[in-house]
Amino acid sequence: MKFVDEAKIELHAGKGGDGVAAFRREKFVPKGGPSGGDGGRGGSVFIRASRDINTLLEYRFKRLFRAKNGENGQGKDCYGKSGSDLVLEVPMGTLVYDDQNNIVVFDLKQDGQKELICKGGKGGLGNIHFKSSTNRAPRQFTFGEVGETISIRMELSVLADIGLLGFPNAGKSTFISAVSAAKPKIADYPFTTLHPHLGVVRSGFNDSFVIADIPGLISGASDGAGLGHQFLKHLQRTKLLVHVIDIGTDYPDAEELARNANDICHELQKYDVALFNKPRWVALNKMDLIPEEDRDAFVTEVTTALSNGLASTDKIFPISSVSGLGTKSLIDSAMEYMSRIKQEDKTTNTNSLNKV
Ligand SMILES: Nc1nc2c(ncn2[C@@H]2O[C@H](COP(=O)(O)OP(=O)(O)OP(=O)(O)O)[C@@H](O)[C@H]2O)c(=O)[nH]1
Ligand SMILES: [Mg+2]
């Protein structure tokens, strides 16, 4: 399925049905009095997040969405039928902007979260409401109200706790396949991954976190090189980045490897300083390609080279996504880190609630 993470659409809620002026006409009931019913309410437009959807593709080609109008009232005290609501389903992690004012109106994070975005118009009143002691045959009625309309921009920023980044071919997809049930395509050519994939990493009964694999990044991505850097937005909500570095044949020595790693960090910095400032760990992948006796020395050398530049990091994990070497240690540390962050978030939320 094509992955689309941005869409602009226009929403129209339904108009309320008009009230009606009618009079009872029955045999043997002279001057039967008013009997015009109210118009039905116009349908509203809702947006609902669903875990079963992972793209905004549906909103790429169709631009205008309308809920149904309410039906007009009728004689014999009949009320018009309400227009049915329209519910647009979007992936979890969709940010909805009011396009005109450029403000976020909803951030749909929870599965099933449903928000009213355009309210349907109220139905008009039939003449039965205007009867009074001085006016027994009112001809007044009111028209239904128009429904609300809005132009929105939707942006999907996938919800993941940890994001993988790195050059194409570094082994990001191999890593996520090794540690979760996600099965992105893996191949020995660059840019195999064309859109983000999410994987859930579990440990024990309760502990889990979500990891995102995004397309590879290359130097000059901010100027459009490779697949560009627009996919970095999918890392914006993560709590931790794991920079996957290929220590295989492409990198002859530790210094060059660090320079290449710095290039990626530069791209990150150019895209968004907040993203650049997120905690970032390094996974030195494909360690199986280095003879066992040389591994420790190599890791020390790389650690020193990295510590001199942008790519400096507080943790380095030598791993092999193919053989499984070191992946458990990385996952255990990530699990511990995430539970600490979640605990801190909970405490902050409780404290702010107590202050209110
Ligand atoms: N020897 C070895 N090969 C690996 C390892 N991890 C990945 N590979 C190989 O490296 C190649 C690229 O792996 P991918 O997982 O597709 O790399 P990627 O980073 O997702 O690449 P893009 O999607 O293009 O950004 C594949 O041929 C993998 O089999 C590893 O730990 N050891
Ligand atoms: Mg990949």
Side-chain angles (χ1 to χ4, degrees):
M1 189 196 287
K2 198 164 183 292
F3 183 79
V4 172
D5 56 8
E6 275 180 13
K8 265 188 191 189
I9 54 174
E10 208 179 302
L11 308 177
H12 291 229
K15 174 186 169 301
D18 299 334
V20 77
F23 294 92
R24 195 160 289 128
R25 305 230 180 274
E26 286 166 41
K27 229 174 173 183
F28 313 119
V29 188
K31 297 184 182 166
S35 69
D38 297 349
R41 182 185 58 79
S44 298
V45 184
F46 293 84
I47 299 203
R48 180 168 60 205
S50 164
R51 70 163 77 246
D52 301 326
I53 297 180
N54 50 24
T55 159
L56 292 170
L57 181 65
E58 193 178 334
Y59 308 107
R60 202 57 189 264
F61 303 108
K62 188 174 170 196
R63 292 293 165 92
L64 180 62
F65 292 82
R66 287 179 190 276
K68 289 261 185 287
N69 292 338
E71 287 179 5
N72 294 340
Q74 290 173 19
K76 297 188 182 167
D77 297 341
C78 285
Y79 282 47
K81 215 170 125 193
S82 294
S84 42
D85 293 334
L86 178 66
V87 182
L88 304 179
E89 300 237 298
V90 296
M92 285 157 66
T94 300
L95 279 163
V96 180
Y97 289 82
D98 172 341
D99 198 34
Q100 208 170 13
N101 305 313
N102 202 25
I103 46 166
V104 176
V105 279
F106 297 117
D107 183 0
L108 294 144
K109 287 184 177 171
Q110 315 282 343
D111 183 33
Q113 185 182 343
K114 183 175 164 189
E115 305 286 358
L116 171 64
I117 187 146
C118 270
K119 202 166 167 199
K122 275 192 196 150
L125 299 175
N127 65 342
I128 45 179
H129 294 280
F130 297 93
K131 188 175 161 186
S132 68
S133 54
T134 52
N135 187 359
R136 293 179 178 242
R139 292 189 173 277
Q140 292 111 302
F141 64 91
T142 60
F143 291 107
E145 287 175 2
V146 290
E148 292 176 350
T149 62
I150 189 172
S151 285
I152 59 167
R153 192 175 81 247
M154 296 193 281
E155 277 184 23
L156 171 61
S157 166
V158 299
L159 294 176
D161 301 306
I162 296 178
L164 300 179
L165 87 147
F167 275 121
N169 252 346
K172 302 177 293 300
S173 302
T174 313
F175 177 73
I176 201 173
S177 319
V179 300
S180 77
K183 289 289 164 261
K185 191 170 165 194
I186 294 169
D188 61 356
Y189 54 83
F191 302 115
T192 312
T193 303
L194 297 175
H195 59 80
H197 288 270
L198 298 183
V200 181
V201 182
R202 296 186 194 284
S203 133
F205 285 115
N206 288 324
D207 274 355
S208 68
F209 61 80
V210 178
I211 193 163
D213 169 27
I214 62 161
L217 205 60
I218 56 173
S219 191
S222 48
D223 303 317
L227 295 178
H229 66 177
Q230 74 273 19
F231 284 106
L232 285 176
K233 73 160 167 269
H234 294 290
L235 302 185
Q236 267 167 330
R237 302 203 205 200
T238 57
K239 304 280 187 203
L240 170 70
L241 302 177
V242 175
H243 185 163
V244 181
I245 296 179
D246 181 347
I247 56 92
T249 46
D250 286 356
Y251 307 109
D253 64 37
E255 292 288 330
E256 183 161 1
L257 190 146
R259 270 198 299 280
N260 285 324
N262 281 344
D263 284 349
I264 292 287
C265 293
H266 253 303
E267 292 301 326
L268 211 55
Q269 199 176 24
K270 272 194 212 161
Y271 181 77
D272 178 12
V273 175
L275 193 57
F276 172 74
N277 287 332
K278 276 187 196 286
R280 197 168 55 234
W281 296 354
V282 162
L284 297 174
N285 192 30
K286 309 196 186 178
M287 280 311 278
D288 55 296
L289 297 176
I290 296 197
E292 210 173 329
E293 61 278 14
D294 297 340
R295 285 179 195 160
D296 286 351
F298 180 75
V299 172
T300 313
E301 225 179 294
V302 176
T303 310
T304 314
L306 286 178
S307 66
N308 296 329
L310 275 176
S312 59
T313 167
D314 34 331
K315 278 188 198 289
I316 296 190
F317 296 86
I319 65 164
S320 164
S321 303
V322 165
S323 77
L325 174 101
T327 51
K328 183 167 182 329
S329 158
L330 170 49
I331 289 306
D332 287 350
S333 302
M335 196 68 79
E336 208 180 297
Y337 179 83
M338 282 316 302
S339 41
R340 204 172 66 234
I341 293 281
K342 282 176 187 166
Q343 192 54 45
E344 279 169 17
D345 282 356
K346 230 186 252 171
T347 318
T348 322
N349 286 344
T350 320
N351 287 347
S352 51
L353 276 180
N354 288 345
K355 274 186 202 154
V356 175

